Amino acid sequence: MDFSTLRNLISRYCAGEENWVDSRTVYIGHKEPPPGAEAYIPQRFPDNRIVSSKYTFWNFIPKNLFEQFRRIANFYFLIIFLVQLIIDTPTSPITSGLPLFFVITVTAIKQGYEDWLRHKADNAINQCPVHVIQHGNVVRKQSRKLRVGDIVRVKEDESFPCDLILLSTSRDDGTCFVTTASLDGESSHKTYYAVQDTKAFNTEEAIDTIHATIECEQPQPDLYKFVGRINIYLARDEPVARPLGSENLLLRGATLKNTEYIYAVAIYTGMETKMALNYQSKSQKRSAVEKSMNSYLIVYLCILIGKALINTILKYVWQADPNRDEPWYNERTESERQRHILIRAFTDFLAFMVLFNYIIPVSMYVTVEMQKFLGSYFITWDDDMFDEELDTGALVNTSDLNEELGQVEYVFTDKTGTLTENNMEFIECCVDGHVYVPHAICNGQVMAAAAGIDMIDSSPGAESREHEELFFRAVCLCHTVQVKEEETVDGIKRGIHQGKATSFYISSSPDEVALVEGMKRLGFTYLRLKDSHMEILNREDEIERFELLEVLNFDSVRRRMSVIVRSNTGEYYLFCKGADSAIFPRIVSGKVDEVRARVEHNAVEGLRTLCVAYKKLSHIEYEEVCHLLSSAKLALQDRDKKLSEAYDTIERDFILLGATAVEDRLQDKAADTIESLHKAGMKVWVLTGDKMETAAATCYASKLFRRSTQILELTTKRTEEQSLHDVLHDLSRTVLRQHGSMIRDTFSGLSNEFQDYGLIIDGATLSAVLKPAPEGGGGASGGNYKEIFLEICRNCSAVLCCRMAPLQKAQIVKLIKASKEHPITLAVGDGANDVSMILEAHVGIGIMGKEGRQAARNSDYAIPKFKHLKKMLLVHGHYYYIRIAELVQYFFYKNVCFIFPQFLYQFFCGFSQQPLYDTAYLTLYNISFTSLPILLYSLIEQHINMDILKKDPSLYRDIAKNSLLRWPIFIYWTFLGVFDAVVFFFGAFFLFDNTTFTSNGQMFGNWTFGTLVFTVLVFTVTLKLALDTHYWTWINHFVIWGSLLFYVIFSLLWGGIIWPFLNYQRMYYVFMQMLSSGPAWLSIILLIMVSLLPDVVKKVLCRALWPTTTERIQNADKLYGGHLSEFTPLSSLHAPPPRGQKRPDGQNPLPPRRSDSPPPKKKLLYTHWGGGGPDYCTFSSILPPLGDNPRLSGAAYAYNAPGPETSL
């Protein structure tokens, strides 16, 4: 049989509608096929190495230098340095070369250290031991040395080292149980199947005798699809061919559970595994602040070129007069006279460029790098972000994006394990309208926590009692739960019914475990599945046995599952459980209205509900069901379609028993965090692989959706009824109806004046929306869906995307990033399925949860719990942005102050490129004299108290959209610098007009003039920073006054000693001579005061007449001596709302979530103490208006009034 025939067969029987991709052949155990079979063609595959680092030892220097010189400032200074080396310039090459070398070195060390940490994490994974079968023996290897074709043994609780095809397991039926939490976020146990013909080979010796080849598709990123075939050579005959599907494929990163060991063969290794293919490639992330810096740099570069050009032109205009050409003592050589005027002019232009090049602050980049690197430790050291349960705090993997934490507009979060604990809890069940709550109130009776629960009074009548017990049995039997037994201390295994429980349940769905545990608390305990019999321990401590005949597995289309069992008495039962929409249409009798009312009530509470029904089967009906199922299962083509038709025929004419309610507990303070992010002006999107109903319930519980939110659905179910084009335009009309095409304010979701919209979209519909337009499609029906979709999303306060593949999550983030507003995005997740999204977003945050550490390893920041995101953004992000914005503006300001007097000086020295300042001052101005104060300011400044930032999230909106680095503010700082420079220069110039400047009548020279200007400059820019500082500590005082003292001491030493290594010492005794003059002291003090005056006046007037929210809070905080957050309602400090807008004052604290307290059944009485008076304990600005009260659970409906409450 030739290879093309095999490929066609595989395509036909295994791939279905899928397009076949080029295949690969894997030889199990690296054994050649027998003679006469297909040709042996060994193929080269990558090793099992995982690489998340960016550099290697060999490419670090060239690659890092290339990246650094892509920065405009670094490249510019390199050019200036080379010009200084090549031509005769007024300043030494050291003045440019030394700062540049310092910047490049510090940056390279920082980035190299961060990449070394990534290498370290990669090595930890790549050097993990794996067990490989070679010649019938188990050999231990490092994970990176694993090759395609190796047979691997994996033990319980170990992770799979690569993508494997399951050959055999320790279980007789050839199944194993796996959790894929790190891949798709589901921590439930999934069942995988060994190849039928190899499942008996379950020892090292036996597995080594397998002679087989696997033909399969080349690696694809889709986690849920796999197409292949195994050819097993049992004898000299034709090989036995069996199809392989995703149920045989064990993915890298998944973990083996409840199975002692398995044997499997490696088919995809290293960067070809499905997990690695779902990673986005690492790209260099650049913050919005850095982009602003580059824009400002271009402006200053234009100013620099303009200055140099003006000076060059004026020099030649001035020298046009023959008397002014050159003084007699500076005769030019013949070669200089012969040079062409254009060459001379170009050389002069370059010389002026070098003279003025200090306007471009190269040291700003090194200060920014140091600020980011050192500042990142504040996150690591924050005790509030330390989690005792995990015994770990926050981690910073990339410090380049600190300030971006203060600019986030969109937050994309995973659901399972990020918002929720992934820990289901049984809340209640309803049987024929009677509600049962374990260990709580049951129809008026308080149920004890004991195992024996008396419920006779709760369900009067024999028929009701029978229905009640049938319901409990149905829930105990209709599931795929396994029981895992654990040994006690003395080594004796005990079952659940033997004394204390030492076993626990595991299942492919955490809901099922919660339901079975809930039944146990209500008196019916599921014991085990043994020899195809399910055993239950009832209330009378009797063991009931039911033979399990058929399982009709759950799927997302039917949204229900069924089992067929036979009781001891020989009766056949079909038990079914599923979503209410899947069960109610199939009911023929039962108390539908009562159960439906309870289901709707629980859905509003945010609980996950399931309905339970049954029907009895006669022996003949059971035989028909068996025939129907077996014929569908044996079909090779359209098997899924035939099975679903069979299920549809079987699952009809039910009798309704009741419903259950389960809660997936939210993480601690998850709802509070999401509410704070909303108030800070951020839009929160939940991207999950989970099903729609579950995800929607979580969104309600976490306050992403509110009771008043109108839910818009863009799902497969709706697009089947209407075309995608019609659905999108309907939704677009709905959201834009109230305000035309005007985009809603981000914050309007918390107001009563607009309808609040929430959008739900699924993965399949998203693919259709993002699909590029067909050639010649054009128009609305062509490819315009993306724009309409974005318009709908902009007008929704929250969006839920469910059934998302990992790469689809990244596509959503990319779509929003590329929209016309170009918002800053943040992605947060905890599993490997979130890595693509984390790498795509501007800022990626990994949560160190139960689902492995892949997300934390590939993120920019890692936090222990979702609640820590609040402080990271609202406090750390706010501070980082404020600090770096001041740092950038201040650097440009102080360099304008520094170099503009040099420009003015050229008008008084015949444009001769004479420097105003000494070379030492030129070199050390940015490196020593003015660098430390701004570095310290950018590390510890706190313009507002930390507690206030946490309590009032709306302050975050004051710094949104890069508000402190906008062009008007930049222009203000630049003009302030020009004004100060004019004051320095002409103030000193007019004072120098007085020839009797010293007591002995001696005149000052040009170096004294330059030193006077420089002294005023250093003092002014340092004191300007002191005026901007709000948070004073002893370190600020030490650094600010210490740097001024250092300048004075350096100047005294530099001019007071004859240094032997200097060829000439033009500064000798200059500084001392200047300080010996009384008028010089007076001029220094006077000029500093005049320079600082405009900025002080502007600040005083603005604070008095047009204060910002931040300034109001600063003033109030001073009034309360730094304890504002303890006494004052912050809402009173906000700018007054626009006319006609209701002010949200006097609100209550929110009631606790249902999961925070035992679920009450009956109304509870609340006693309200006091009343009427104002409630100063409440921070009104943090709470929503009353009209938009979030969903209240349980007893919280009973009473809602301001003031403290006591439950009785």
Side-chain angles (χ1 to χ4, degrees):
M1 190 183 289
D2 68 346
F3 187 71
S4 59
T5 314
L6 283 177
R7 179 181 292 184
N8 291 337
L9 276 171
I10 296 171
S11 298
R12 210 163 78 213
Y13 292 120
C14 305
E17 294 294 318
E18 290 296 315
N19 292 325
W20 181 259
V21 185
D22 192 19
S23 66
R24 62 167 56 185
T25 303
V26 177
Y27 300 95
I28 296 178
H30 309 289
K31 290 179 185 168
E32 297 181 25
E38 62 188 77
Y40 175 58
I41 309 167
Q43 292 171 287
R44 290 177 64 83
F45 302 113
D47 61 13
N48 200 36
R49 204 186 307 259
I50 285 287
V51 179
S52 66
S53 53
K54 199 163 69 173
Y55 305 109
T56 65
F57 179 77
W58 305 108
N59 74 7
F60 174 70
I61 291 175
K63 193 171 178 182
N64 188 265
L65 287 177
F66 172 73
E67 283 184 353
Q68 290 207 55
F69 283 118
R70 280 168 57 197
R71 284 180 168 170
I72 297 169
N74 290 351
F75 184 70
Y76 160 76
F77 266 89
L78 179 66
I79 298 296
I80 291 291
F81 177 62
L82 295 175
V83 166
Q84 284 180 294
L85 287 175
I86 294 165
I87 67 166
D88 182 27
T89 56
T91 56
S92 163
I94 293 171
T95 57
S96 295
L98 191 65
L100 179 67
F101 177 75
F102 184 56
V103 168
I104 296 294
T105 308
V106 169
T107 308
I109 290 169
K110 173 183 158 292
Q111 292 181 347
Y113 172 71
E114 287 174 350
D115 205 61
W116 174 74
L117 292 178
R118 290 192 201 101
H119 271 284
K120 207 169 152 189
D122 287 344
N123 287 338
I125 287 177
N126 293 331
Q127 291 173 7
C128 272
V130 294
H131 297 93
V132 178
I133 309 300
Q134 286 181 356
H135 312 300
N137 298 315
V138 178
V139 178
R140 188 166 154 150
K141 272 188 181 181
Q142 285 186 345
S143 174
R144 63 192 173 90
K145 293 181 179 174
L146 204 59
R147 291 188 300 150
V148 171
D150 282 346
I151 298 173
V152 181
R153 186 182 76 179
V154 181
K155 292 182 178 177
E156 185 174 4
D157 293 326
E158 288 181 354
S159 289
F160 302 124
C162 59
D163 290 354
L164 306 161
I165 290 291
L166 182 57
L167 297 176
S168 64
T169 79
S170 58
R171 304 169 75 94
D172 296 335
D173 57 0
T175 59
C176 72
F177 302 103
V178 169
T179 58
T180 56
S182 66
L183 293 166
D184 56 15
E186 294 182 22
S187 61
S188 50
H189 288 59
K190 296 184 175 68
T191 308
Y192 286 81
Y193 301 91
V195 179
Q196 284 300 312
D197 300 73
T198 63
K199 70 178 183 183
F201 298 84
N202 55 7
T203 64
E204 285 89 0
E205 295 77 14
I207 202 78
D208 200 44
T209 62
I210 290 181
H211 219 142
T213 59
I214 291 174
E215 288 163 26
C216 61
E217 62 185 0
Q218 292 290 9
Q220 299 290 313
D222 194 326
L223 296 176
Y224 308 106
K225 284 184 182 170
F226 175 74
V227 178
R229 157 193 196 110
I230 183 168
N231 300 312
I232 303 159
Y233 302 96
L234 295 172
R236 292 279 178 186
D237 310 326
E238 282 286 306
V240 176
R242 297 276 182 245
L244 297 173
S246 56
E247 70 277 2
N248 310 113
L249 180 69
L250 306 170
L251 300 176
R252 176 178 190 136
T255 307
L256 184 67
K257 290 287 181 187
N258 209 27
T259 309
E260 197 178 330
Y261 61 84
I262 59 126
Y263 293 105
V265 61
I267 57 159
Y268 303 134
T269 51
M271 299 309 284
E272 286 189 344
T273 57
K274 287 184 180 282
M275 184 177 88
L277 290 173
N278 270 282
Y279 286 172
Q280 289 282 97
S281 57
K282 262 195 188 301
S283 59
Q284 184 77 20
K285 293 183 179 180
R286 298 201 179 279
S287 69
V289 169
E290 194 169 325
K291 289 169 189 165
S292 295
M293 280 161 58
N294 287 341
S295 304
Y296 298 163
L297 219 55
I298 291 167
V299 170
Y300 271 57
L301 202 55
C302 294
I303 293 171
L304 169 66
I305 293 167
K307 279 183 178 180
L309 209 58
I310 290 166
N311 274 266
T312 308
I313 292 166
L314 290 175
K315 176 174 182 172
Y316 282 89
V317 169
W318 192 77
Q319 288 184 357
D321 184 345
N323 296 328
R324 290 176 175 172
D325 183 15
E326 286 283 341
W328 60 269
Y329 54 80
N330 193 17
E331 286 285 340
R332 283 179 294 174
T333 60
E334 195 60 32
S335 62
E336 284 177 334
R337 290 178 186 278
Q338 294 302 320
R339 279 162 71 192
H340 195 277
I341 189 165
L342 288 178
I343 295 173
R344 291 203 319 248
F346 182 67
T347 309
D348 282 330
F349 172 74
L350 290 178
F352 278 120
M353 286 281 285
V354 168
L355 186 65
F356 300 141
N357 83 76
Y358 297 95
I359 197 170
I360 306 291
V362 67
S363 60
M364 176 176 72
Y365 278 94
V366 77
T367 310
V368 165
E369 291 289 348
M370 289 171 71
Q371 188 266 349
K372 288 179 175 182
F373 181 67
L374 297 172
S376 64
Y377 282 101
F378 289 117
I379 290 178
T380 313
W381 294 334
D382 192 337
D383 288 341
D384 291 346
M385 296 171 76
F386 183 84
D387 187 71
E388 291 182 0
E389 185 187 334
L390 293 172
D391 194 32
T392 184
L395 295 174
V396 178
N397 297 328
T398 308
S399 57
D400 289 341
L401 303 167
N402 291 345
E403 66 278 7
E404 208 80 326
L405 294 169
Q407 293 296 294
V408 176
E409 294 169 65
Y410 280 81
V411 175
F412 299 93
T413 171
D414 178 39
K415 181 189 78 71
T416 312
T418 304
L419 288 180
T420 67
E421 292 179 354
N422 205 6
N423 184 16
M424 305 296 171
E425 185 186 4
F426 180 79
I427 300 297
E428 67 171 46
C429 59
C430 167
V431 185
D432 290 345
H434 300 285
V435 179
Y436 302 85
V437 180
H439 313 331
I441 300 165
C442 176
N443 292 327
Q445 290 192 345
V446 177
M447 300 171 72
I453 301 168
D454 184 12
M455 303 179 75
I456 297 170
D457 295 341
S458 64
S459 308
E463 189 185 341
S464 294
R465 175 70 184 247
E466 188 184 328
H467 254 217
E468 171 199 304
E469 295 200 346
L470 195 58
F471 172 85
F472 291 152
R473 287 191 183 94
V475 179
C476 278
L477 296 169
C478 188
H479 57 71
T480 55
V481 171
Q482 288 96 36
V483 179
K484 166 135 177 141
E485 292 192 353
E486 280 190 332
E487 291 187 357
T488 51
V489 180
D490 56 1
I492 301 168
K493 285 192 178 180
R494 299 190 172 193
I496 292 178
H497 60 290
Q498 295 175 316
K500 195 176 177 183
T502 57
S503 301
F504 57 91
Y505 301 119
I506 55 173
S507 170
S508 59
S509 164
D511 298 66
E512 291 194 328
V513 174
L515 291 175
V516 173
E517 285 178 343
M519 291 304 103
K520 180 182 165 188
R521 286 154 61 192
L522 289 171
F524 278 77
T525 305
Y526 171 62
L527 297 177
R528 67 178 69 83
L529 172 64
K530 187 177 180 184
D531 303 329
S532 298
H533 281 76
M534 299 177 88
E535 296 180 1
I536 296 174
L537 186 73
N538 65 19
R539 288 200 193 115
E540 284 74 38
D541 280 346
E542 297 167 354
I543 294 178
E544 300 178 9
R545 283 168 64 87
F546 292 84
E547 186 182 356
L548 180 62
L549 302 170
E550 295 286 350
V551 177
L552 282 61
N553 281 318
F554 178 89
D555 66 65
S556 56
V557 179
R558 281 168 46 242
R559 293 165 62 206
R560 59 183 179 270
M561 78 158 285
S562 302
V563 294
I564 300 173
V565 296
R566 183 166 57 198
S567 67
N568 289 338
T569 57
E571 293 175 307
Y572 292 93
Y573 287 97
L574 171 62
F575 292 120
C576 180
K577 72 165 189 244
D580 54 338
S581 56
I583 298 288
F584 283 140
R586 296 171 180 272
I587 298 296
V588 290
S589 68
K591 297 189 179 178
V592 177
D593 294 336
E594 291 93 328
V595 175
R596 192 196 300 273
R598 193 66 198 172
V599 165
E600 287 173 359
H601 173 266
N602 286 334
V604 171
E605 294 277 320
L607 303 177
R608 298 157 68 114
T609 57
L610 288 173
C611 294
V612 181
Y614 84 106
K615 72 173 176 181
K616 281 188 178 180
L617 299 174
S618 65
H619 186 70
I620 297 162
E621 286 173 325
Y622 170 66
E623 293 292 337
E624 287 173 1
V625 166
C626 281
H627 175 69
L628 203 61
L629 286 174
S630 60
S631 61
K633 283 178 181 174
L634 290 172
L636 283 174
Q637 289 182 320
D638 298 327
R639 183 188 296 170
D640 289 344
K641 186 181 175 187
K642 287 176 180 175
L643 270 175
S644 64
E645 286 170 358
Y647 290 164
D648 189 57
T649 308
I650 295 162
E651 294 172 327
R652 290 177 181 275
D653 307 327
F654 287 130
I655 300 165
L656 184 64
L657 286 171
T660 62
V662 171
E663 181 182 41
D664 183 2
R665 278 179 171 272
L666 280 181
Q667 277 201 18
D668 183 33
K669 296 183 181 172
D672 171 60
T673 303
I674 284 184
E675 196 170 21
S676 297
L677 298 182
H678 269 306
K679 286 177 180 170
M682 292 174 237
K683 289 197 172 184
V684 183
W685 290 34
V686 173
L687 312 181
T688 176
D690 218 332
K691 56 181 187 286
M692 189 178 106
E693 296 78 16
T694 310
T698 304
C699 290
Y700 276 109
S702 62
K703 297 181 185 169
L704 187 75
F705 293 157
R706 299 165 171 273
R707 286 181 69 195
S708 60
T709 303
Q710 183 180 334
I711 300 299
L712 309 173
E713 282 190 25
L714 186 55
T715 56
T716 314
K717 186 179 173 186
R718 187 163 175 191
T719 51
E720 283 169 358
E721 297 163 4
Q722 265 180 296
S723 71
L724 178 63
H725 175 266
D726 292 343
V727 174
L728 279 168
H729 279 84
D730 282 354
L731 295 179
S732 181
R733 279 194 295 272
T734 304
V735 295
L736 297 175
R737 190 181 298 137
Q738 285 181 320
H739 359 261
S741 60
M742 190 179 74
I743 293 176
R744 293 157 55 88
D745 183 8
T746 311
F747 205 49
S748 63
L750 299 176
S751 153
N752 297 330
E753 296 177 23
F754 298 106
Q755 173 61 54
D756 201 18
Y757 293 108
L759 177 70
I760 298 178
I761 182 170
D762 60 19
T765 316
L766 179 72
S767 297
V769 168
L770 299 183
K771 197 180 290 180
E775 289 297 323
S781 59
N784 209 15
Y785 293 155
K786 203 182 285 186
E787 279 307 313
I788 301 170
F789 173 66
L790 278 171
E791 189 66 26
I792 294 165
C793 292
R794 279 192 208 105
N795 288 282
C796 292
S797 58
V799 179
L800 164 63
C801 305
C802 45
R803 286 290 174 211
M804 289 279 142
L807 279 176
Q808 279 185 310
K809 292 184 177 184
Q811 283 175 334
I812 282 273
V813 176
K814 194 172 186 177
L815 180 70
I816 297 298
K817 268 174 73 179
S819 63
K820 60 186 177 189
E821 295 91 2
H822 298 292
I824 302 297
T825 58
L826 177 143
V828 54
D830 65 324
N833 59 320
D834 303 314
V835 168
S836 302
M837 166 175 84
I838 283 169
L839 292 175
E840 181 61 52
H842 291 97
V843 184
I845 294 188
I847 288 184
M848 298 176 272
K850 300 174 183 176
E851 301 180 10
R853 293 292 169 99
Q854 284 90 341
R857 202 162 55 87
N858 285 276
S859 62
D860 303 307
Y861 303 89
I863 52 177
K865 293 280 170 66
F866 183 75
K867 66 179 179 182
H868 298 130
L869 187 64
K870 179 179 175 180
K871 186 171 185 186
M872 183 167 251
L873 297 183
L874 301 187
V875 178
H876 290 292
H878 198 120
Y879 282 157
Y880 283 136
Y881 178 73
I882 291 282
R883 292 163 182 169
I884 206 161
E886 174 87 11
L887 186 152
V888 170
Q889 301 280 27
Y890 177 78
F891 251 98
F892 282 110
Y893 157 78
K894 75 186 179 78
N895 278 39
V896 169
C897 292
F898 179 43
I899 222 64
F900 201 73
Q902 178 75 70
F903 171 71
L904 297 173
Y905 185 55
Q906 294 307 302
F907 289 85
F908 296 89
C909 68
F911 306 101
S912 60
Q913 296 138 20
Q914 168 67 28
L916 175 62
Y917 312 117
D918 180 57
T919 307
Y921 288 160
L922 284 170
T923 308
L924 296 177
Y925 174 72
N926 277 320
I927 292 178
S928 299
F929 300 147
T930 60
S931 60
L932 267 183
I934 184 60
L935 176 61
L936 191 79
Y937 175 96
S938 66
L939 286 173
I940 65 172
E941 171 65 0
Q942 293 181 20
H943 64 303
I944 294 178
N945 188 291
M946 196 179 290
D947 294 331
I948 297 172
L949 287 178
K950 275 197 286 190
K951 286 192 167 76
D952 194 352
S954 61
L955 288 171
Y956 189 87
R957 305 170 78 204
D958 291 353
I959 60 166
K961 297 186 184 298
N962 208 8
S963 61
L964 300 183
L965 286 174
R966 288 184 182 159
W967 287 104
I969 297 173
F970 169 70
I971 291 165
Y972 167 76
W973 278 87
T974 302
F975 275 111
L976 189 65
V978 170
F979 171 80
D980 288 354
V982 169
V983 170
F984 304 157
F985 184 82
F986 285 108
F989 179 77
F990 290 128
L991 285 164
F992 261 63
D993 264 2
N994 180 2
T995 50
T996 58
F997 201 54
T998 57
S999 54
N1000 60 3
Q1002 187 181 345
M1003 290 175 66
F1004 281 170
N1006 66 317
W1007 294 115
T1008 315
F1009 175 72
T1011 305
L1012 180 66
V1013 172
F1014 191 79
T1015 304
V1016 175
L1017 161 71
V1018 170
F1019 274 80
T1020 301
V1021 296
T1022 307
L1023 291 172
K1024 159 77 176 130
L1025 187 67
L1027 286 173
D1028 284 354
T1029 303
H1030 293 99
Y1031 185 70
W1032 282 93
T1033 63
W1034 68 267
I1035 309 175
N1036 293 74
H1037 287 288
F1038 177 76
V1039 168
I1040 285 176
W1041 314 124
S1043 65
L1044 293 175
L1045 188 64
F1046 171 73
Y1047 163 69
V1048 173
I1049 292 169
F1050 173 84
S1051 297
L1052 289 169
L1053 292 173
W1054 183 243
I1057 298 173
I1058 296 175
W1059 299 98
F1061 56 82
L1062 293 176
N1063 295 330
Y1064 54 89
Q1065 198 160 344
R1066 55 197 178 197
M1067 290 298 290
Y1068 182 67
Y1069 213 67
V1070 167
F1071 195 71
M1072 276 80 83
Q1073 188 186 29
M1074 185 188 80
L1075 292 184
S1076 66
S1077 163
W1081 281 89
L1082 183 65
S1083 63
I1084 289 169
I1085 295 166
L1086 195 65
L1087 291 176
I1088 290 170
M1089 289 172 67
V1090 172
S1091 302
L1092 293 174
L1093 190 65
D1095 193 47
V1096 172
V1097 169
K1098 177 241 172 195
K1099 280 185 177 174
V1100 169
L1101 286 176
C1102 286
R1103 274 181 180 266
L1105 302 176
W1106 310 283
T1108 63
T1109 304
T1110 301
E1111 287 166 350
R1112 286 169 187 270
I1113 286 177
Q1114 285 170 350
N1115 294 337
D1117 201 29
K1118 283 177 188 170
L1119 196 66
Y1120 282 93
H1123 298 286
L1124 170 68
S1125 59
E1126 296 171 25
F1127 300 114
T1128 313
L1130 297 184
S1131 58
S1132 62
L1133 301 172
H1134 282 259
R1139 189 183 298 276
Q1141 184 177 319
K1142 189 178 175 184
R1143 196 185 169 102
D1145 283 336
Q1147 305 307 311
N1148 314 324
L1150 297 174
R1153 276 191 5 260
R1154 178 157 195 156
S1155 60
D1156 296 335
S1157 57
K1161 170 66 184 78
K1162 292 291 181 185
K1163 287 183 182 176
L1164 299 185
L1165 174 66
Y1166 278 84
T1167 304
H1168 173 55
W1169 301 101
D1175 180 6
Y1176 289 107
C1177 299
T1178 305
F1179 287 90
S1180 309
S1181 65
I1182 298 172
L1183 300 174
L1186 258 175
D1188 194 20
N1189 217 358
R1191 188 187 73 257
L1192 304 179
S1193 59
Y1197 283 116
Y1199 192 81
N1200 191 19
E1205 298 169 339
T1206 307
S1207 60
L1208 297 181

